Amino acid sequence: MELRGKIGFLGGLVLSLFVGWWVFPLALYERVEQPLDFSHKVHTGEQAGMSCEDCHSFREDGSFAGIPKVENCTGCHSEPQGKTVAEKVLYQEYVSKNREIPWLVYAQQPENVYFSHVQHVKRAEIACERCHGAHGKTDTLRPFERNRISGYSRDIWGRSISRISRASWEGAKMDDCIDCHAERGVEDNCLLCHK
Amino acid sequence: MAIISRRDLFRFAGGAAVGTMLSPLPWKLLDDVSIWTQNWSWIPKPPKGAVSFKYTNCTLCGSGCAAQVRCIEAEPVSLAGIRSDIGLGFLCPLGLVAHHLRYHPDRVTQPLVRAKGDELKPSSLDDATRVVSGKLQRLAQQTQPSDSYLAILGNRPGTAGSDALLALLARFPHAAYVGCPNDGDGVSVLGSMVEGDQNWALDIANSKMVLSFGAPLLEGWGTSGRMLAQFASSDRKTRLIHVEPNCSLTARAADVWLSIQPGSEAALALGLANVLIEAKLVDPSVTCPDLEVDSPYRKLVAEFSAERVAGLTGLKPEVITQTARAIAQEGPALVISRGYVSGPVSRAEELAIQGLNFLLGNLDRPGGALARPSPSQSQVAGPTPASQPGPGVVRALAAIPDGSVELLIVDASSGNDLPPWAAVQPKLSPDQAVVVVLAGLPTAWAQRADVVVPSPVFGEAIEELPGNVDDTANSLRLSARLVDPRPGLFNLLDFVNHTAVAAGLATSPVSYEDAAKQKVAAIHQAGIGNVVSPADGQAKAVTDYSSSDELWTALAGGARWENAAPEAIKPATRRFSLAGPDSGDVERMRKAAAQRGGLADVAPSEYPLTVVSAEGRAYDSKVSPLLAKITWESGLHAERTCMINPATAAKQGVLAGTTVTVQTPSGSLDVPVTLSEEIMPGVLLLEDPTGEDQSGLMTGTDATCRVMPGRLEVA
């Protein structure tokens, strides 16, 4: 191939690689701010000393309550306790009006998957950090990144578009579940998760 | 200046294509688009939230199995049986996914009205009401000698809704309120043969032996869970003799299977009666004028010797004799049948069959036929106009004159098995009949209607369940409202009320739910019986409920009221008639037994085969969309077919899968052939998954429309 031809080919190659690896991930996800900024660090640190399960609790029947309802917040925040903007929004928009906070859940699983927290946390004794990383120690909530096509959170795929250099907690695709089950010798079948 | 040639563009595009393939773009897009297709916004999604449990009783068939409903927030997501219930925790595959029905993509969501000769088209409630109320007005105001009928299919005797509707129908000079086929048809005939107005049940749970004339004990009959526990077990304590031409599941599980010629059930019953009487095997406690030598019944029975019955049934004479001895000496055996409305036998045949129960002394005996304790819930509720219907209200299809029905209203909601269309069609007025069908799904019945009215499906409305044939207690059970129904749904009573008000025939008729509440209030006031909690099986006396509202809340939440106090039995005073309640019944039995439902009238050379229609349960209104999808995609769905024995096929020169023309005296039908050893040689079993008729194929003089002479030709 003559030089001019090689340049043309390489031009197309480089441009498409640039689009595929850099532009496409930017275009694929939209960033949405959480309704209010929440500091896990303040709540789980020395100041409040709470554990994950104080808010993300299990119900009596063993099902996972997930994101706490605003009534959980009201227990401590029935009156404003600080002067932060976040707490002002919490009190004025949600606690005083008894409105649920429309949190955007980073690890939200799709409807066609049945995931049991109690099986993983209580029975298999897997730490929350195994799937959620250091989320419980963060001082601020990062923007929620929503996949414009599937509607999923970016956390389900992981930060890396190639899924190659991911942190150990990143990603909650079916392959990740299968890999973890294989590591632990858990027998798999379709109906285990797809009821 | 360099010019970009077409070749350059191709090279650039080639590089771009290779680069794209080496980037995550196509692979991630493929992944996301496939996920997108699985999460379309209109796909119903159960909410996330707290788990709670509700209780109800399934309405998909007469078994009425109790069910625990797991809900996320308020949405039912799964059903399971309840072990403490009389059904012993059984729930069939249809019941397990009954909560899917409300999401069925084919749901009837608005009234459909047919213009003359046109297709059914979506219409308004006002249009549907106008059509029906106009007819109602005309039928209510007609004067003699006009004899046009208002006929309603869907009577559930003893339920508050049916009683209220009967009260309304009493205003019409000619009205019919006909029951749907159910497992209690046989015991109704038995009750009609006994003097007095008792409510009878079969104590199958305590019987030592059961002689079943085609009752599908393992396929769904009575309280399904109880039947399976009693008869599907290999170490069962109840012996089962099953009479059926083909080798059904029940026949296969029976201790003795008597494969008789279709239509010869009455002959066999009278043959058994003959042996019992002649061999002096009649229970010594039985005293009845019909057993005297010169009585019409004795004369009838005497005509059916074992030798003659052997010729009619295809059994050997000694088998008939041995069976009669077995049911008398190794029993006592309780004699049951599938029921005459849905076949395989007619009412006359049923009379012959039920006569055996009297000869065996089964009346008022544990393990036999027991009168349910008084008072029943209907008796507690007190006499209403419903219990004394007007002289014009008839309750049997056969009692309606042919061509007389001007308005037919059919309750085709999921709980009802309807009689064959072939048995109903002759009753319609050829020119003026309007057929109104209440249906949740577009069943075959709905396709025939002039007006279709959307009705609730499982879990959308309170519904009272009639007692089961094998439940010896008087009971009241309701199917709970688990979810808020769509607007514009009507059950049978409420739709008739609605149109009657529009026609000016009623002002404020009692609604279905109010009728049920009134009955519950009457039970509370009487303070009789107990309420069994579905959660723990614990019984609580009605007197412990502080108000009728509290009792209603318990029952509407799936609890069961029962009055199981034993009846004070005085068998010696019980009078019954083996010859049947009507004067012509002996002759009807004779004809049914001798002519095998009309088969004997046809020359075997012309119609060498016997065509039998499969049990007419309308499954198409009961199958969840998910279950339907699975069975279609896995090839397990039933298709219209005719099943014949391989020996019959060889004789007829037919191969499996061949499409044949099945001909009977009333019609013909092209249908593929399936070969099965389970079918009796010479018999052709028509299977139709919609549970409907076969294009007039089964229209004959036999009211059951189940057995016809036939022949087949390669189409």
Side-chain angles (χ1 to χ4, degrees):
Chain A
M1 192 188 295
E2 62 189 66
L3 180 62
R4 179 177 162 142
K6 286 178 182 171
I7 291 172
F9 181 85
L10 284 173
L13 182 74
V14 170
L15 182 67
S16 61
L17 288 174
F18 174 73
V19 169
W21 286 96
W22 197 78
V23 177
F24 172 62
L26 287 179
L28 184 61
Y29 294 103
E30 61 172 333
R31 292 161 71 89
V32 187
E33 292 297 332
Q34 294 282 2
L36 65 92
D37 198 17
F38 178 84
S39 172
H40 279 94
K41 189 177 175 183
V42 168
H43 289 80
T44 57
E46 289 181 5
Q47 196 174 339
M50 298 164 75
S51 72
C52 299
E53 286 188 29
D54 286 338
C55 293
H56 304 288
S57 58
F58 291 92
R59 301 188 187 95
E60 280 183 15
D61 61 16
S63 64
F64 186 58
I67 304 291
K69 300 205 167 188
V70 77
E71 65 186 26
N72 294 50
C73 309
T74 310
C76 298
H77 296 272
S78 56
E79 296 292 334
Q81 291 191 349
K83 292 180 179 174
T84 63
V85 174
E87 196 186 8
K88 189 178 174 187
V89 173
L90 170 70
Y91 183 77
Q92 290 182 347
E93 296 297 319
Y94 302 106
V95 172
S96 63
K97 296 176 181 173
N98 197 26
R99 274 176 55 204
E100 291 303 328
I101 307 167
W103 295 113
L104 299 161
V105 185
Y106 301 112
Q108 181 77 61
Q109 284 290 320
E111 302 297 342
N112 58 4
V113 175
Y114 175 80
F115 178 84
S116 168
H117 271 89
V118 75
Q119 287 280 352
H120 291 81
V121 178
K122 297 293 185 188
R123 191 171 174 193
E125 298 181 343
I126 296 172
C128 304
E129 289 79 8
R130 169 66 183 81
C131 302
H132 298 284
H135 188 60
K137 295 185 174 61
T138 54
D139 198 22
T140 184
L141 292 179
R142 58 194 158 90
F144 178 85
E145 291 182 82
R146 180 186 287 126
N147 186 309
R148 293 180 197 272
I149 300 170
S150 67
Y152 284 13
S153 161
R154 187 170 190 166
D155 285 30
I156 301 299
W157 182 265
R159 296 292 309 165
S160 164
I161 194 73
S162 68
R163 309 198 86 224
I164 293 170
S165 56
R166 284 178 295 141
S168 61
W169 59 270
E170 272 191 298
K173 296 281 290 177
M174 189 170 77
D175 286 346
D176 301 312
C177 302
I178 291 171
D179 289 346
C180 190
H181 280 191
E183 279 172 26
R184 292 165 185 274
V186 178
E187 199 174 326
D188 272 333
N189 63 61
C190 301
L191 292 177
L192 201 64
C193 307
H194 302 289
K195 302 283 185 192
Chain B
M1 183 181 165
I3 296 171
I4 297 174
S5 65
R6 196 170 67 164
R7 180 168 293 185
D8 292 336
L9 284 175
F10 278 129
R11 283 175 178 146
F12 181 83
V18 171
T20 302
M21 300 303 281
L22 292 174
S23 81
L25 192 148
W27 320 114
K28 181 78 172 108
L29 270 182
L30 194 66
D31 186 78
D32 287 344
V33 169
S34 66
I35 292 169
W36 173 67
T37 62
Q38 296 164 29
N39 290 283
W40 280 323
S41 58
W42 58 86
I43 296 174
K45 297 178 180 67
K48 293 181 183 295
V51 177
S52 61
F53 292 94
K54 294 178 182 174
Y55 299 91
T56 188
N57 296 288
C58 179
T59 54
L60 294 192
C61 75
S63 182
C65 301
Q68 184 190 54
V69 187
R70 183 172 181 266
C71 300
I72 302 294
E73 296 296 342
E75 190 69 29
V77 293
S78 68
L79 270 71
I82 299 173
R83 283 196 169 274
S84 61
D85 178 60
I86 57 168
L88 307 175
F90 173 79
L91 209 54
C92 73
L94 298 183
L96 285 169
V97 286
H99 59 297
H100 293 176
L101 280 172
R102 66 188 291 251
Y103 296 113
H104 203 296
D106 295 337
R107 268 305 288 278
V108 179
T109 54
Q110 68 180 105
L112 308 171
V113 177
R114 188 192 307 276
K116 274 287 176 196
D118 287 336
E119 287 183 359
L120 283 167
K121 288 183 177 159
S123 188
S124 66
L125 178 62
D126 287 345
D127 286 344
T129 305
R130 204 173 301 120
V131 173
V132 181
S133 61
K135 279 281 179 191
L136 281 180
Q137 211 164 30
R138 211 192 82 71
L139 290 167
Q141 290 168 354
Q142 64 178 329
T143 51
Q144 299 293 348
S146 172
D147 57 354
S148 294
Y149 269 74
L150 159 64
I152 297 182
L153 288 183
N155 190 3
R156 295 181 161 198
T159 60
S162 286
D163 286 351
L165 191 49
L166 267 174
L168 192 66
L169 291 180
R171 300 176 188 191
F172 291 81
H174 297 291
Y177 193 16
V178 179
C180 293
N182 71 78
D183 304 333
D185 292 338
V187 83
S188 298
V189 170
L190 181 142
S192 73
M193 298 164 79
V194 186
E195 198 175 79
D197 189 21
Q198 287 286 347
N199 185 4
W200 292 87
L202 300 175
D203 188 19
I204 299 176
N206 293 311
S207 58
K208 288 181 184 171
M209 180 185 276
V210 167
L211 171 62
S212 157
F213 281 80
L217 295 170
L218 300 190
E219 290 91 339
W221 190 89
T223 307
S224 300
R226 189 188 271 172
M227 294 303 117
L228 284 169
Q230 192 168 353
F231 294 105
S233 163
S234 56
D235 60 345
R236 60 169 174 256
K237 291 172 184 163
T238 309
R239 273 174 60 78
L240 174 63
I241 301 175
H242 189 67
V243 179
E244 189 177 358
N246 301 319
C247 187
S248 64
L249 198 62
T250 304
R252 219 172 297 157
D255 296 287
V256 178
W257 168 41
L258 301 179
S259 178
I260 62 167
Q261 289 292 334
S264 64
E265 286 85 355
L268 178 60
L270 292 175
L272 294 173
N274 182 305
V275 177
L276 290 175
I277 293 170
E278 297 302 324
K280 302 196 185 320
L281 295 170
V282 175
D283 189 89
S285 68
V286 176
T287 54
C288 178
D290 291 326
L291 287 175
E292 288 169 14
V293 177
D294 291 333
S295 74
Y297 181 75
R298 275 294 295 267
K299 286 179 182 170
L300 167 69
V301 168
E303 295 170 22
F304 289 88
S305 63
E307 288 71 24
R308 184 183 177 203
V309 172
L312 289 165
T313 59
L315 298 175
K316 292 177 180 171
E318 56 269 29
V319 171
I320 297 163
T321 310
Q322 285 164 6
T323 304
R325 289 190 179 281
I327 60 175
Q329 295 172 338
E330 297 171 33
L334 181 60
V335 183
I336 64 173
S337 66
R338 169 67 182 91
Y340 71 91
V341 179
S342 56
V345 295
S346 66
R347 179 182 166 276
E349 290 166 300
E350 191 71 62
L351 284 169
I353 292 167
Q354 293 303 329
L356 294 172
N357 273 322
F358 294 96
L359 297 177
L360 294 168
N362 280 331
L363 222 54
D364 299 309
R365 177 159 70 186
L370 296 179
R372 288 196 173 107
S374 296
S376 68
Q377 20 92 350
S378 293
Q379 290 164 330
V380 169
T384 64
S387 58
Q388 292 123 27
V393 181
V394 299
R395 304 198 198 185
L397 201 57
I400 305 173
D402 283 354
S404 67
V405 175
E406 208 170 291
L407 176 60
L408 172 68
I409 302 177
V410 182
D411 184 1
S413 58
S414 56
N416 283 338
D417 291 324
L418 293 163
W421 173 248
V424 177
Q425 193 179 24
K427 308 295 176 189
L428 299 177
S429 164
D431 307 321
Q432 295 180 305
V434 169
V435 178
V436 181
V437 173
L438 286 98
L441 291 165
T443 60
W445 272 89
Q447 300 303 323
R448 297 188 185 104
D450 300 298
V451 177
V452 180
V453 179
S455 69
V457 295
F458 172 79
E460 287 186 327
I462 295 273
E463 191 174 333
E464 185 184 347
L465 283 78
N468 285 355
V469 60
D470 58 315
D471 185 4
T472 54
N474 263 314
S475 63
L476 173 61
R477 292 176 301 159
L478 300 173
S479 181
R481 185 191 293 113
L482 302 171
V483 293
D484 291 331
R486 294 164 183 265
L489 303 181
F490 286 92
N491 63 29
L492 177 62
L493 174 64
D494 291 340
F495 181 70
V496 176
N497 281 343
H498 172 78
T499 49
V501 169
L505 303 174
T507 48
S508 55
V510 62
S511 70
Y512 185 92
E513 198 163 317
D514 285 346
K517 279 182 179 172
Q518 285 172 13
K519 180 185 274 191
V520 171
I523 290 173
H524 182 260
Q525 194 175 8
I528 291 170
N530 296 311
V531 174
V532 182
S533 162
D536 54 15
Q538 297 297 309
K540 182 176 169 182
V542 168
T543 48
D544 291 342
Y545 286 85
S546 60
S547 68
S548 64
D549 286 344
E550 192 190 346
L551 182 59
W552 169 260
T553 303
L555 293 172
R560 164 188 156 91
W561 173 81
E562 62 180 27
N563 175 17
E567 170 81 332
I569 300 170
K570 295 176 183 172
T573 63
R574 195 84 79 188
R575 295 175 64 180
F576 55 86
S577 169
L578 290 165
D582 299 334
S583 57
D585 282 339
V586 166
E587 193 49 41
R588 290 187 192 100
M589 281 191 266
R590 177 179 285 115
K591 191 175 169 189
Q595 297 184 341
R596 288 181 47 215
L599 292 173
D601 296 339
V602 180
S605 55
E606 195 178 356
Y607 292 101
L609 301 174
T610 304
V611 183
V612 180
S613 178
E615 185 187 345
R617 287 205 162 160
Y619 287 113
D620 54 348
S621 65
K622 302 175 183 177
V623 181
S624 95
L626 178 65
L627 205 59
K629 182 174 185 290
I630 291 169
T631 50
W632 272 97
E633 290 179 353
S634 57
L636 292 172
H637 64 284
E639 286 180 330
R640 175 181 277 184
T641 182
C642 78
M643 299 176 74
I644 54 175
N645 190 286
T648 314
K651 205 171 170 182
Q652 299 284 327
V654 175
L655 298 173
T658 312
T659 296
V660 296
T661 303
V662 179
Q663 289 192 327
T664 70
S666 63
S668 67
L669 179 72
D670 289 347
V671 64
V673 163
T674 305
L675 303 186
S676 172
E677 293 279 2
E678 295 171 2
I679 308 301
M680 188 182 203
V683 171
L684 194 154
L685 177 70
L686 277 175
E687 285 261 340
D688 190 340
T690 63
E692 300 301 336
D693 75 312
Q694 289 82 19
S695 308
L697 205 64
M698 306 301 284
T699 308
T701 52
D702 175 16
T704 66
C705 300
R706 297 289 167 189
V707 182
M708 288 289 279
R711 62 168 178 256
L712 60 80
E713 293 168 5
V714 177

